[in-house]
Amino acid sequence: METDERSLFSRIIDREIPADIVYEDDEVIAFRDIAPKAPVHLLVVPKTGQYRDVAELAAGDPALLATVVATAKRLADEHANGDFRLIFNTGAGAGQTVFHVHAHVLSAPGEGNSLEEGNLAD
Ligand code: AMP
């Protein structure tokens, strides 16, 4: 029996696993994190599964990393007040569990709302 080595996120991209998708284009997909840590908690994921983490992505395709950041900004404008915290867990010791590079976009939903600085390293 063959082992399916595609990541969880590749399976979401291929619609094999459901997700609450909020944005998609040729390069990236974005969906709501299943276990949100902030009022708005989205994941922005490059469609290619070839980069395990943000360090690999930065070295291999910096333009795609810039696209991830621009998408995060656009989503923070649409879903919150435009301000956002961008987190790339990098390595198991930093809490990474899915080894298909992804950005966590954390934000608060309205004017005058904000994230607490104290949440940074929970
Ligand atoms: P990380 O720990 O940085 O690798 O982030 C993986 C994230 O994926 C976690 O925040 C999980 O809550 C989230 N996650 C896991 N499974 C799903 C899923 N089926 N749909 C949406 N988010 C998920």
Side-chain angles (χ1 to χ4, degrees):
M1 195 176 80
E2 278 186 29
T3 307
D4 185 352
E5 294 190 354
R6 287 175 313 132
S7 71
L8 170 68
F9 292 162
S10 290
R11 298 181 67 198
I12 287 175
I13 291 163
D14 291 342
R15 305 302 200 271
E16 293 172 16
I17 295 175
D20 187 352
I21 296 167
V22 297
Y23 179 76
E24 182 172 24
D25 62 24
D26 289 346
E27 292 186 297
V28 300
I29 191 168
F31 47 89
R32 293 185 196 280
D33 196 294
I34 204 168
K37 301 287 196 298
V40 175
H41 186 170
L42 306 173
L43 300 175
V44 180
V45 184
K47 286 191 166 175
T48 175
Q50 76 183 106
Y51 304 109
R52 286 169 56 83
D53 58 44
V54 70
E56 285 192 5
L57 178 61
D61 192 344
L64 183 54
L65 174 56
T67 297
V68 169
V69 175
T71 303
K73 172 58 181 163
R74 184 198 303 186
L75 291 171
D77 286 337
E78 287 176 6
H79 292 263
N81 61 9
D83 294 347
F84 61 103
R85 181 173 298 160
L86 198 59
I87 295 175
F88 294 90
N89 294 325
T90 306
Q96 187 175 5
T97 58
V98 180
F99 292 88
H100 177 148
V101 61
H102 54 280
H104 294 257
V105 182
L106 304 177
S107 195
E111 243 359 279
N113 293 325
S114 63
L115 299 177
E116 296 297 327
E117 193 64 27
N119 293 344
L120 253 187
D122 280 353

